[in-house]
């Protein structure tokens, strides 16, 4: 059998999860040399049996013990003890050199990130929000322009539009994918529309190819909010630029806020670099080529930490995807709406849906059983209670978005969730769904 190149993107991770979960022999893999794939490649080459959670020395965690509570996202476990030591060592090296803001780690990290994601240009930034603002400005979004976006996203998405002086235009989502519907995007275009800003909600790729077709026909730009979707196959393939976040809570989380913009366009990359750093011409100190720019380049100290943690990226992606697959298998046949196990997903969050009249009672029963759940995001953009939101969105009608918002909640899923904890979540869910005196209705 000919070995396929294993890049460590979501399509490769999906295939590996199915191979390991199926229990048969693994397909032969020829590894891409990217830094982000190094730890998983080592396991595949030397100890592939460790990829199953039942292995004695599994890559999955089995602690803490079953009787303890299951937090949704424990802050003290965002990084493993080994990752924490790596971060401390990396920061100490940057501190010793005095190169805390500018320094060689920035370009090295950008090159490594671009190589892993298969895109030629990466510009590392101080946050995912900065990445969105810089990308929108670089593609020409300015005052009074309109930017089409969904309402079910974090406030950073709309704030990036507002920061450009532009106006968010909210469009409904596809009822299955829960991301922007290209057909509705086409209907929302006006003479003021400058760009479309799809969000890869929960880590699943939006239909960017469909959105890009609409955009090309109408002369619009496309910027992806991929802040939840690092490593997803196809990110950046059809858009002008894609923004990532490395917030500590993300799949690839660092020790503070950070982000990046990825693009295939060399000319746009130059503009992105200028907007990210005071409008200065790249390679010429303190010489402006743009009238203004932000102070939004990633710090050298943060980039040094990022380089230290990057080799574990695809191994952590594998853990998340395998745990998502376990949830899907264990919850099949329940009244909950459960996502399909698809190869276009980073599994940043694990969403399930319940009937809107049952959701909060179900969450309360889980909480009583020691299982914490959450809602991402509790307030939709057009339901925020500010004067500007009322002025802009009072007439917004987004039935699919609002239906999803009323039914969805999220189960614990993070890089270091133990199999023991996940089993407790699954058991608690099955008990809660059998609650006497009330039948839980389907949440599909």
């Amino acid at each position: 059998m000919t070995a396929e190149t294993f890049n460590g993107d979501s399509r490769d991770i999906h295939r590996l999860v199915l191979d390991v979960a199926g229990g048969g022999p693994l397909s032969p893999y020829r590894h891409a040399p990217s830094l982000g794939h190094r730890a998983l490649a080592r396991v595949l080459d030397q100890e592939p049996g460790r990829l199953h959670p039942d292995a004695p020395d599994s890559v999955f965690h089995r602690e803490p013990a079953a009787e303890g509570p299951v937090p949704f996202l424990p802050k003290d476990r965002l990084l493993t003890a080994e990752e924490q030591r790596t971060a401390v060592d990396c920061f100490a090296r940057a501190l010793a050199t005095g190169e805390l803001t500018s320094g060689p780690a920035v370009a090295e990290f950008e090159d490594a990130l671009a190589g892993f994601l298969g895109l030629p240009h990466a510009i590392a930034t101080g946050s995912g929000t900065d990445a969105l603002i810089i990308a929108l400005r670089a593609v020409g979004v300015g005052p009074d322009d309109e930017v089409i976006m969904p309402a079910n996203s974090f406030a950073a998405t709309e704030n990036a539009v507002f920061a450009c002086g532009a106006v968010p235009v909210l469009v409904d989502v596809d009822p299955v994918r829960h991301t922007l519907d290209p057909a509705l995007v086409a209907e929302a275009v006006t003479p003021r529309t400058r760009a479309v800003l799809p969000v890869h909600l929960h880590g699943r790729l939006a239909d960017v190819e469909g959105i890009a077709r609409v955009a090309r026909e109408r002369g619009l730009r496309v910027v992806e909010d991929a802040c939840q979707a690092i490593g997803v196959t196809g990110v950046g393939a059809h858009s002008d630029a894609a923004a990532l976040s490395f917030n500590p809570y993300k799949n690839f989380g660092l020790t503070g806020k950070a982000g990046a913009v990825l693009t295939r366009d060399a000319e746009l990359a130059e503009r992105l670099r200028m907007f990210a750093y005071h409008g200065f011409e790249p390679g010429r100190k303190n010489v402006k080529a743009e009238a203004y720019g932000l102070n939004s380049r990633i710090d050298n100290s943060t980039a040094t930490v990022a380089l230290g943690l990057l080799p574990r990226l695809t191994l952590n992606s594998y853990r998340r995807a395998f745990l998502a697959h376990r949830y899907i298998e264990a919850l099949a046949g329940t009244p909950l709406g459960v996502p399909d196990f698809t190869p276009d997903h980073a599994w940043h969050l694990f969403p399930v849906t319940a009937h809107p009249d049952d959701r909060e009672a179900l969450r309360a029963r889980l909480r009583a059983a020691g299982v914490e759940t959450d809602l991402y995001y509790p307030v939709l953009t057009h339901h925020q209670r500010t004067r500007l939101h009322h002025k802009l969105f009072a007439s917004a009608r987004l039935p699919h978005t609002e239906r999803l918002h009323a039914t969805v909640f999220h189960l614990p899923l993070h890089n270091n969730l133990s199999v023991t904890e996940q089993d407790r979540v699954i058991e608690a869910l099955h008990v809660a769904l059998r609650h006497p005196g009330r039948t839980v209705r389907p949440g599909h």
Side-chain angles (χ1 to χ4, degrees), residues 289-352:
E290 287 283 346
Y292 76 97
L294 304 177
N295 185 18
S296 293
R297 293 300 305 277
I298 193 172
D299 286 336
N300 188 69
S301 54
T302 304
T304 304
V305 172
L307 284 167
L309 296 177
L310 190 61
R312 298 168 175 86
L313 175 55
T314 62
L315 181 58
N316 283 330
S317 297
Y318 170 78
R319 287 194 188 105
R320 297 182 88 106
F322 197 100
L323 292 171
H325 184 263
R326 284 186 97 238
Y327 269 140
I328 293 166
E329 293 287 296
L331 299 176
T334 70
L336 295 174
V338 178
D340 294 329
F341 188 63
T342 59
D344 58 355
H345 213 309
W347 301 106
H348 174 61
L349 295 167
F350 191 86
V352 294

Side-chain angles (χ1 to χ4, degrees), residues 81-143:
E82 181 184 1
E83 288 170 329
Q84 290 176 32
R85 287 192 295 271
T86 297
V88 170
D89 290 345
C90 289
F91 184 80
R93 288 200 301 273
L95 188 63
T97 67
E99 295 174 319
L100 297 177
T101 54
S102 299
V106 174
E108 189 178 347
F109 173 57
E110 290 174 339
D111 289 344
L113 184 65
F116 170 70
L117 297 173
L119 294 165
H121 307 286
I123 296 86
T125 63
S127 70
T129 306
D130 283 351
L132 286 167
I133 295 169
I134 292 161
L136 290 170
R137 288 292 301 142
V139 300
V141 173

Side-chain angles (χ1 to χ4, degrees), residues 3-4 6 16 26-32 37-51:
E4 296 184 44
F6 193 102
L16 180 60
L26 296 184
S27 305
Y29 296 112
R30 183 177 65 251
H31 302 296
H37 183 45
R38 186 169 294 172
L40 180 55
R42 186 180 303 118
V43 174
L44 276 167
D45 286 343
Q46 298 175 6
E47 304 171 284
R50 295 180 59 215
L51 294 173

Side-chain angles (χ1 to χ4, degrees), residues 119-202:
L119 294 165
H121 307 286
I123 296 86
T125 63
S127 70
T129 306
D130 283 351
L132 286 167
I133 295 169
I134 292 161
L136 290 170
R137 288 292 301 142
V139 300
V141 173
D144 298 323
D145 288 336
E146 292 179 347
V147 177
I148 294 172
M149 58 166 279
N152 54 345
S153 185
F154 183 57
T157 310
E158 61 180 276
N159 286 343
V161 178
F162 286 134
C164 296
V167 178
V169 173
L170 303 181
V171 166
D172 209 356
V173 298
D174 177 276
V176 175
R177 190 176 286 271
H178 303 155
T179 56
L180 275 183
D181 185 331
L184 298 178
V185 167
E187 294 175 7
V189 174
T190 75
R192 291 174 55 195
T193 306
R194 177 59 64 103
V196 187
L197 183 55
V199 177
H200 304 316
L201 187 69
H202 306 151

Side-chain angles (χ1 to χ4, degrees), residues 119-120 135 139 196-198 200 205-213 215-216 220-226 234-243 261-265 268:
L119 294 165
V139 300
V196 187
L197 183 55
H200 304 316
L205 191 73
D207 185 0
V208 184
E209 188 172 4
I211 290 168
R213 282 195 297 269
R216 285 194 299 270
L220 308 177
R221 311 302 291 269
V222 178
V223 172
E224 298 173 59
D225 182 339
V235 165
H238 302 285
S239 64
D240 294 286
V261 189
L262 284 297
T263 183
R264 295 169 292 127
D265 186 326
L268 181 61

